[in-house]
Amino acid sequence: MTYELHHGDCIDIMASLPAESVDAIVTSPPYAEQRKSTYGGIPEKDYPAWTVAWMAEAKRILKPDGSAIINIRPHIKNGQISDYTLRTRLALRDAGWNECEELIWHKPSSPPLGSPQRPRRSWESLHWFAKHGKPYVDAKAAGKPIKFPGDKSGGQSGPHISQLNGLRQAPGIARVTDAVTVATDQTIRAHPAPYPWQLAEWCGKLICPQGGTILDPFSGSASTGVAAIRNGWHYIGIDAIAEYVDMSRKRLDAEQTKQAPTEGPFSCTETGANK
Amino acid sequence: MTYELHHGDCIDIMASLPAESVDAIVTSPPYAEQRKSTYGGIPEKDYPAWTVAWMAEAKRILKPDGSAIINIRPHIKNGQISDYTLRTRLALRDAGWNECEELIWHKPSSPPLGSPQRPRRSWESLHWFAKHGKPYVDAKAAGKPIKFPGDKSGGQSGPHISQLNGLRQAPGIARVTDAVTVATDQTIRAHPAPYPWQLAEWCGKLICPQGGTILDPFSGSASTGVAAIRNGWHYIGIDAIAEYVDMSRKRLDAEQTKQAPTEGPFSCTETGANK
DNA sequence: ATGAGGAATGAATCCCCAC
DNA sequence: GGTGGGGATTCATTCCTCA
């Protein structure tokens, strides 16, 4: 229930954070050639190297079993999808990152934009990278109770559930699938990239242990921070634009009040160029 | 309502087909390192070159506005997803193919297999490649009627629908999205790759014009053929295994009988090593 | 005939243990 | 120590059996 917001370049800020202090990274960096007016826009050809650079700093502050979920989807230009996410994924792998899985964020309420000659775009990728092949994972934290055939009790612990390989398994809970459906949040008008906190919550439940620390180096409207407060994770948010940091502070303070309206003041640390 | 089945190596068979005679390719090639016992298994490192090779032959017989939808999903090994589909996509682009879009096949009935430490895998990629950036597309052929709020008529032509950019638009029909949900077909026990014909139908409606010719160079159980017969497309199926060709012939004949039980015999051409 | 209930199964992956 | 067999996972759909 604590958060830190930092204003500045994420590489600089991350360099000031202690090594191996972060459990999970959940972020949606600026896409190539998009949002030029607000974030400057990273050229497509530079995107892989740019991502490897900030991920290198992230690697230092990530715990050994920590991992990162990065939301990107390439745009279409002249009828062809951009290849920069392909090259970025290969570059991260070359830089020593383990690509755990391709997760899908399905947006059922996606607006009918894009070319009328093409299917309406309704999903985005969540690229999951870790320091090695066995990072911390809880595939059941966001899972639902198992319903066995004929079981009308609601599905508490069935006969088939047991300890597996000595690993703790939540009994009677099915693990999540690799595609999650979350409607886009149309209410976040203050930031151009509508990343819903429910999506960040799903990602965090997958890769952030209870009470862990979750980082978003491109914090934007701090949706990951909202998810953190609601789930008891410590949040570290970084953004290059002071206006978004200020807005995020208001949003997170309001969220904390909502979460525990009867308790006293919350611990909150703020640092960075805009302190 | 006609089909051709060929037994043999798809590159050899395609070389015998006339240039620019195919409207669309919808296929699910053998995945790298999978199905070794039936198809020999293409090594991961050879997969990009192998794909470029058979796609080069496909390019010759594809019409100028034709395109191909290829279903592949990489496996996970030691906690890391294989990178061969990334490298294959880049190799096809280097070979001059235009990557139109990343489409998603979502499988709601996917079995609870795979690592218990990872989310259950419930989707596969549909990679869409064309000769250029503006291939034949009908984004509404598989679309559903638009339902306006409060409209109880079923959704024929609403006020928001109009000619757009001078392109013919089916009125009152919404474009499909780039993610399609089709349950896996558990009834195809004779072939190990359960590619449902409903998925092939959705793909065909997107890229194959009415009365066009649709090709599957890795025909397997001929699910694409079933979709073709049901939609009035001419089907060309190729498979390296005689047993599957024989099985497909029975399946497609039965499908034709089902589609028009009162009509006479159908036109059907069969060629290839197993003739 | 009809329906309820049970068993079997699938483009998987990893761990454990035997050899 | 490398290799290979066996078990666990736990959803939707199928066929089959029995009332």
mmCIF file of all heavy atoms in Angstrom, chain A residues 249-271:
data_model
loop_
_atom_site.group_PDB
_atom_site.id
_atom_site.type_symbol
_atom_site.label_atom_id
_atom_site.label_comp_id
_atom_site.label_asym_id
_atom_site.label_seq_id
_atom_site.Cartn_x
_atom_site.Cartn_y
_atom_site.Cartn_z
ATOM 1 N N ARG A 249 -0.199 11.044 -9.079
ATOM 2 C CA ARG A 249 -0.194 11.197 -7.621
ATOM 3 C C ARG A 249 -1.624 11.360 -7.105
ATOM 4 O O ARG A 249 -2.029 10.715 -6.144
ATOM 5 C CB ARG A 249 0.672 12.412 -7.247
ATOM 6 C CG ARG A 249 1.013 12.481 -5.778
ATOM 7 C CD ARG A 249 1.998 13.607 -5.493
ATOM 8 N NE ARG A 249 3.248 13.380 -6.191
ATOM 9 C CZ ARG A 249 3.794 14.244 -7.057
ATOM 10 N NH1 ARG A 249 3.202 15.383 -7.322
ATOM 11 N NH2 ARG A 249 4.930 13.946 -7.654
ATOM 12 N N LYS A 250 -2.397 12.192 -7.800
ATOM 13 C CA LYS A 250 -3.803 12.378 -7.396
ATOM 14 C C LYS A 250 -4.582 11.074 -7.510
ATOM 15 O O LYS A 250 -5.359 10.705 -6.641
ATOM 16 C CB LYS A 250 -4.449 13.454 -8.286
ATOM 17 C CG LYS A 250 -3.877 14.856 -8.088
ATOM 18 C CD LYS A 250 -4.770 15.899 -8.768
ATOM 19 C CE LYS A 250 -4.149 17.290 -8.715
ATOM 20 N NZ LYS A 250 -3.088 17.474 -9.760
ATOM 21 N N ARG A 251 -4.355 10.389 -8.612
ATOM 22 C CA ARG A 251 -5.109 9.147 -8.845
ATOM 23 C C ARG A 251 -4.763 8.095 -7.788
ATOM 24 O O ARG A 251 -5.658 7.418 -7.271
ATOM 25 C CB ARG A 251 -4.781 8.604 -10.248
ATOM 26 C CG ARG A 251 -5.672 7.450 -10.673
ATOM 27 C CD ARG A 251 -5.334 6.968 -12.086
ATOM 28 N NE ARG A 251 -6.197 5.840 -12.465
ATOM 29 C CZ ARG A 251 -5.885 4.968 -13.416
ATOM 30 N NH1 ARG A 251 -4.747 5.080 -14.088
ATOM 31 N NH2 ARG A 251 -6.703 3.974 -13.707
ATOM 32 N N LEU A 252 -3.496 7.969 -7.455
ATOM 33 C CA LEU A 252 -3.093 6.935 -6.503
ATOM 34 C C LEU A 252 -3.520 7.296 -5.080
ATOM 35 O O LEU A 252 -3.927 6.424 -4.305
ATOM 36 C CB LEU A 252 -1.580 6.708 -6.578
ATOM 37 C CG LEU A 252 -1.075 6.153 -7.925
ATOM 38 C CD1 LEU A 252 0.412 5.880 -7.869
ATOM 39 C CD2 LEU A 252 -1.838 4.898 -8.332
ATOM 40 N N ASP A 253 -3.458 8.575 -4.747
ATOM 41 C CA ASP A 253 -3.936 8.986 -3.419
ATOM 42 C C ASP A 253 -5.422 8.699 -3.274
ATOM 43 O O ASP A 253 -5.880 8.198 -2.250
ATOM 44 C CB ASP A 253 -3.656 10.482 -3.196
ATOM 45 C CG ASP A 253 -2.176 10.749 -2.932
ATOM 46 O OD1 ASP A 253 -1.464 9.800 -2.560
ATOM 47 O OD2 ASP A 253 -1.749 11.904 -3.106
ATOM 48 N N ALA A 254 -6.166 8.995 -4.334
ATOM 49 C CA ALA A 254 -7.608 8.717 -4.299
ATOM 50 C C ALA A 254 -7.858 7.220 -4.184
ATOM 51 O O ALA A 254 -8.767 6.780 -3.466
ATOM 52 C CB ALA A 254 -8.276 9.270 -5.560
ATOM 53 N N GLU A 255 -7.048 6.441 -4.858
ATOM 54 C CA GLU A 255 -7.208 4.986 -4.812
ATOM 55 C C GLU A 255 -6.916 4.451 -3.407
ATOM 56 O O GLU A 255 -7.626 3.571 -2.911
ATOM 57 C CB GLU A 255 -6.269 4.322 -5.828
ATOM 58 C CG GLU A 255 -6.541 2.843 -6.040
ATOM 59 C CD GLU A 255 -7.925 2.584 -6.598
ATOM 60 O OE1 GLU A 255 -8.381 3.352 -7.471
ATOM 61 O OE2 GLU A 255 -8.568 1.613 -6.139
ATOM 62 N N GLN A 256 -5.896 5.001 -2.769
ATOM 63 C CA GLN A 256 -5.580 4.566 -1.416
ATOM 64 C C GLN A 256 -6.718 4.886 -0.462
ATOM 65 O O GLN A 256 -7.080 4.073 0.390
ATOM 66 C CB GLN A 256 -4.287 5.236 -0.928
ATOM 67 C CG GLN A 256 -3.051 4.676 -1.617
ATOM 68 C CD GLN A 256 -1.774 5.194 -0.997
ATOM 69 O OE1 GLN A 256 -1.692 6.342 -0.577
ATOM 70 N NE2 GLN A 256 -0.767 4.340 -0.938
ATOM 71 N N THR A 257 -7.284 6.066 -0.592
ATOM 72 C CA THR A 257 -8.417 6.444 0.251
ATOM 73 C C THR A 257 -9.582 5.490 0.039
ATOM 74 O O THR A 257 -10.235 5.051 0.988
ATOM 75 C CB THR A 257 -8.859 7.883 -0.075
ATOM 76 O OG1 THR A 257 -7.725 8.727 0.012
ATOM 77 C CG2 THR A 257 -9.955 8.330 0.855
ATOM 78 N N LYS A 258 -9.813 5.140 -1.233
ATOM 79 C CA LYS A 258 -10.888 4.211 -1.563
ATOM 80 C C LYS A 258 -10.651 2.849 -0.916
ATOM 81 O O LYS A 258 -11.565 2.196 -0.424
ATOM 82 C CB LYS A 258 -10.940 4.057 -3.092
ATOM 83 C CG LYS A 258 -12.337 3.996 -3.669
ATOM 84 C CD LYS A 258 -12.318 3.645 -5.139
ATOM 85 C CE LYS A 258 -11.629 4.699 -5.991
ATOM 86 N NZ LYS A 258 -11.547 4.316 -7.420
ATOM 87 N N GLN A 259 -9.393 2.410 -0.953
ATOM 88 C CA GLN A 259 -9.080 1.059 -0.482
ATOM 89 C C GLN A 259 -9.204 0.923 1.020
ATOM 90 O O GLN A 259 -9.562 -0.128 1.531
ATOM 91 C CB GLN A 259 -7.664 0.653 -0.917
ATOM 92 C CG GLN A 259 -7.549 0.399 -2.394
ATOM 93 C CD GLN A 259 -8.537 -0.643 -2.881
ATOM 94 O OE1 GLN A 259 -8.606 -1.742 -2.370
ATOM 95 N NE2 GLN A 259 -9.350 -0.288 -3.861
ATOM 96 N N ALA A 260 -8.871 1.962 1.774
ATOM 97 C CA ALA A 260 -8.916 1.856 3.229
ATOM 98 C C ALA A 260 -9.373 3.182 3.827
ATOM 99 O O ALA A 260 -8.602 3.909 4.428
ATOM 100 C CB ALA A 260 -7.540 1.479 3.762
ATOM 101 N N PRO A 261 -10.641 3.476 3.644
ATOM 102 C CA PRO A 261 -11.128 4.813 3.997
ATOM 103 C C PRO A 261 -11.061 5.122 5.487
ATOM 104 O O PRO A 261 -11.072 6.288 5.865
ATOM 105 C CB PRO A 261 -12.577 4.805 3.501
ATOM 106 C CG PRO A 261 -12.938 3.367 3.388
ATOM 107 C CD PRO A 261 -11.667 2.642 3.079
ATOM 108 N N THR A 262 -10.956 4.092 6.351
ATOM 109 C CA THR A 262 -11.000 4.372 7.784
ATOM 110 C C THR A 262 -9.614 4.453 8.406
ATOM 111 O O THR A 262 -9.485 4.823 9.560
ATOM 112 C CB THR A 262 -11.793 3.274 8.513
ATOM 113 O OG1 THR A 262 -11.161 2.011 8.251
ATOM 114 C CG2 THR A 262 -13.226 3.240 8.013
ATOM 115 N N GLU A 263 -8.570 4.067 7.630
ATOM 116 C CA GLU A 263 -7.232 4.075 8.213
ATOM 117 C C GLU A 263 -6.596 5.457 8.138
ATOM 118 O O GLU A 263 -7.117 6.371 7.515
ATOM 119 C CB GLU A 263 -6.336 3.051 7.500
ATOM 120 C CG GLU A 263 -6.749 1.617 7.826
ATOM 121 C CD GLU A 263 -5.867 0.619 7.102
ATOM 122 O OE1 GLU A 263 -4.697 0.942 6.830
ATOM 123 O OE2 GLU A 263 -6.358 -0.478 6.804
ATOM 124 N N GLY A 264 -5.435 5.574 8.746
ATOM 125 C CA GLY A 264 -4.729 6.843 8.805
ATOM 126 C C GLY A 264 -3.980 7.133 7.519
ATOM 127 O O GLY A 264 -4.253 6.509 6.492
ATOM 128 N N PRO A 265 -3.054 8.068 7.534
ATOM 129 C CA PRO A 265 -2.290 8.434 6.338
ATOM 130 C C PRO A 265 -1.400 7.281 5.867
ATOM 131 O O PRO A 265 -0.945 6.479 6.657
ATOM 132 C CB PRO A 265 -1.442 9.613 6.812
ATOM 133 C CG PRO A 265 -1.381 9.480 8.295
ATOM 134 C CD PRO A 265 -2.670 8.831 8.715
ATOM 135 N N PHE A 266 -1.190 7.252 4.563
ATOM 136 C CA PHE A 266 -0.400 6.180 3.977
ATOM 137 C C PHE A 266 1.038 6.606 3.816
ATOM 138 O O PHE A 266 1.332 7.788 3.669
ATOM 139 C CB PHE A 266 -0.959 5.796 2.598
ATOM 140 C CG PHE A 266 -2.273 5.109 2.704
ATOM 141 C CD1 PHE A 266 -3.446 5.827 2.776
ATOM 142 C CD2 PHE A 266 -2.318 3.731 2.777
ATOM 143 C CE1 PHE A 266 -4.654 5.189 2.893
ATOM 144 C CE2 PHE A 266 -3.530 3.096 2.894
ATOM 145 C CZ PHE A 266 -4.702 3.819 2.941
ATOM 146 N N SER A 267 1.888 5.626 3.802
ATOM 147 C CA SER A 267 3.288 5.890 3.503
ATOM 148 C C SER A 267 3.439 6.141 2.011
ATOM 149 O O SER A 267 2.944 5.378 1.200
ATOM 150 C CB SER A 267 4.127 4.679 3.911
ATOM 151 O OG SER A 267 5.400 4.761 3.333
ATOM 152 N N CYS A 268 4.072 7.220 1.672
ATOM 153 C CA CYS A 268 4.264 7.544 0.261
ATOM 154 C C CYS A 268 5.562 8.276 0.080
ATOM 155 O O CYS A 268 5.820 9.287 0.728
ATOM 156 C CB CYS A 268 3.093 8.402 -0.239
ATOM 157 S SG CYS A 268 3.388 9.114 -1.852
ATOM 158 N N THR A 269 6.399 7.748 -0.797
ATOM 159 C CA THR A 269 7.688 8.371 -1.071
ATOM 160 C C THR A 269 7.658 8.955 -2.475
ATOM 161 O O THR A 269 7.169 8.316 -3.388
ATOM 162 C CB THR A 269 8.811 7.327 -1.005
ATOM 163 O OG1 THR A 269 8.646 6.569 0.187
ATOM 164 C CG2 THR A 269 10.165 7.981 -1.022
ATOM 165 N N GLU A 270 8.175 10.124 -2.625
ATOM 166 C CA GLU A 270 8.252 10.704 -3.962
ATOM 167 C C GLU A 270 9.631 11.281 -4.174
ATOM 168 O O GLU A 270 10.175 11.965 -3.326
ATOM 169 C CB GLU A 270 7.182 11.791 -4.155
ATOM 170 C CG GLU A 270 5.772 11.217 -4.084
ATOM 171 C CD GLU A 270 4.720 12.289 -4.196
ATOM 172 O OE1 GLU A 270 5.002 13.323 -4.827
ATOM 173 O OE2 GLU A 270 3.625 12.096 -3.655
ATOM 174 N N THR A 271 10.184 10.975 -5.308
ATOM 175 C CA THR A 271 11.520 11.474 -5.626
ATOM 176 C C THR A 271 11.558 11.896 -7.080
ATOM 177 O O THR A 271 10.558 11.847 -7.770
ATOM 178 C CB THR A 271 12.593 10.387 -5.412
ATOM 179 O OG1 THR A 271 12.370 9.348 -6.374
ATOM 180 C CG2 THR A 271 12.549 9.829 -4.020
#
